[in-house]
Amino acid sequence: MIDQVVGVLRDVAEEIVLPRFRNLAAGEVIEKGPGDLVTVADREAEAALTRRLSELLPGSLVVGEEAVAADPTVLARMHEPGPVWVIDPIDGTANYAAGREPFGLMVALIRGGVPVLGAIYEPVAKTLSVAEAGSGAYIDGERVAFDHTPIGAEQLRGAVMTKYLPQELREQVTARLPLLTEAVPGFRCAAHEYPHLIRSGRHFAMFWRSLPWDHTAGALLIREAGGVVRHFDGSDYDPAQPKLGLLVCRDDAVFELVRSVLLE
């Protein structure tokens, strides 16, 4: 099925997303919330993905970012026992709307609340990242895995997204960033952040919001590459029960280091 899902992602990117990249008309970019943009391409891509993925797996349900924005009760489908597609039609919409990269399309399939398949497609670079539960993680056809060589806290390198952190926590984290070897602000695009973490040699990424369409596919990719995706309190990320505060790390040891340096 992964090949069919990838085919759907590529087709929707070519038919809907790329033609409007740097070609959006006035009125085709809307602020659906403070600092939260949606474009006509987001909505059309989600409609196409919803239709095609539902046809691919008859009887499946869909939780899409824009569908939830229109009707928050759609999110309850995450708890259904059968197959549910989780869709982010364009992740990195702010970048896309501004005519810049990165942005990508993300799809995950969950069964009984458990992610079993994830695919991330960045259509300009044509980068494809996929994972199936128990079968490993792949980027552009190459199996990928984290290096687990032990490191010290002073060697930590990562992406720290502070934008949505509560003010007190943001001030604490910001004050402690000089204790790391490297801390970058991220790409404003989880579809790029997840595969980049594996490829770049960085050790972690910190998020505050943990919405399922932003993280389900990427979390499966990280876990299949040997990493961990956990909330600040140490609990594993569950897309059906998302909580605020998320650390994506190459392994358990890095999770504990990051938490001790930045959060405790």
Side-chain angles (χ1 to χ4, degrees):
M1 180 174 288
I2 191 71
D3 291 337
Q4 294 169 292
V5 172
V6 167
V8 169
L9 282 175
R10 284 178 167 151
D11 289 347
V12 171
E14 291 294 326
E15 295 166 13
I16 298 172
V17 177
L18 287 177
R20 281 201 166 94
F21 182 47
R22 297 174 180 157
N23 196 34
L24 289 164
E28 291 186 334
V29 181
I30 302 164
E31 191 174 50
K32 60 183 178 181
D36 193 7
L37 301 180
V38 63
T39 73
V40 64
D42 289 81
R43 290 174 172 166
E44 291 184 3
E46 182 165 307
L49 289 167
T50 296
R51 182 179 68 255
R52 297 182 195 189
L53 292 171
S54 297
E55 292 171 353
L56 186 61
L57 189 57
S60 58
L61 300 174
V62 175
V63 173
E65 178 179 5
E66 305 313 326
V68 173
D71 178 6
T73 65
V74 170
L75 194 57
R77 296 174 185 172
M78 296 291 296
H79 302 281
E80 293 292 328
V84 180
W85 298 102
V86 183
I87 298 174
D88 193 338
I90 302 177
D91 185 69
T93 296
N95 295 336
Y96 178 81
R100 62 174 181 262
E101 298 177 68
F103 61 89
L105 293 75
M106 297 199 289
V107 166
L109 178 65
I110 64 173
R111 292 181 183 272
V114 179
V116 297
L117 178 154
I120 302 172
Y121 183 53
E122 299 175 71
V124 176
K126 300 191 183 305
T127 299
L128 177 66
S129 306
V130 298
E132 289 187 86
S135 298
Y138 295 81
I139 301 177
D140 292 334
E142 178 183 353
R143 187 161 187 171
V144 292
F146 284 109
D147 175 12
H148 297 298
T149 303
I151 61 169
E154 71 284 353
Q155 296 171 283
L156 284 170
R157 300 169 59 239
V160 182
M161 277 61 81
T162 60
K163 179 179 178 180
Y164 296 107
L165 290 176
Q167 182 176 348
E168 184 177 348
L169 181 58
R170 182 169 63 250
E171 291 173 355
Q172 172 186 311
V173 169
T174 301
R176 296 182 181 185
L177 291 180
L179 299 174
L180 309 180
T181 292
E182 179 186 61
V184 296
F187 299 96
R188 301 183 71 188
C189 176
H192 185 76
E193 204 73 59
Y194 275 99
H196 183 75
L197 178 61
I198 298 173
R199 282 182 155 179
S200 68
R202 292 194 180 119
H203 307 115
F204 75 96
M206 174 188 285
F207 300 89
W208 180 246
R209 300 196 300 182
S210 60
L211 298 165
W213 43 85
D214 287 333
H215 297 285
T216 305
L220 183 60
L221 184 77
I222 293 297
R223 287 166 175 163
E224 288 296 316
V228 299
V229 184
R230 294 182 179 148
H231 293 288
F232 294 173
D233 64 5
S235 60
D236 286 330
Y237 176 64
D238 178 354
Q241 302 284 351
K243 298 185 292 186
L244 295 172
L246 201 63
L247 284 175
V248 180
C249 302
R250 70 169 199 180
D251 53 33
D252 294 309
V254 165
F255 173 83
E256 294 300 338
L257 284 174
V258 174
R259 188 163 64 164
S260 67
V261 172
L262 298 182
L263 299 175
E264 293 182 350

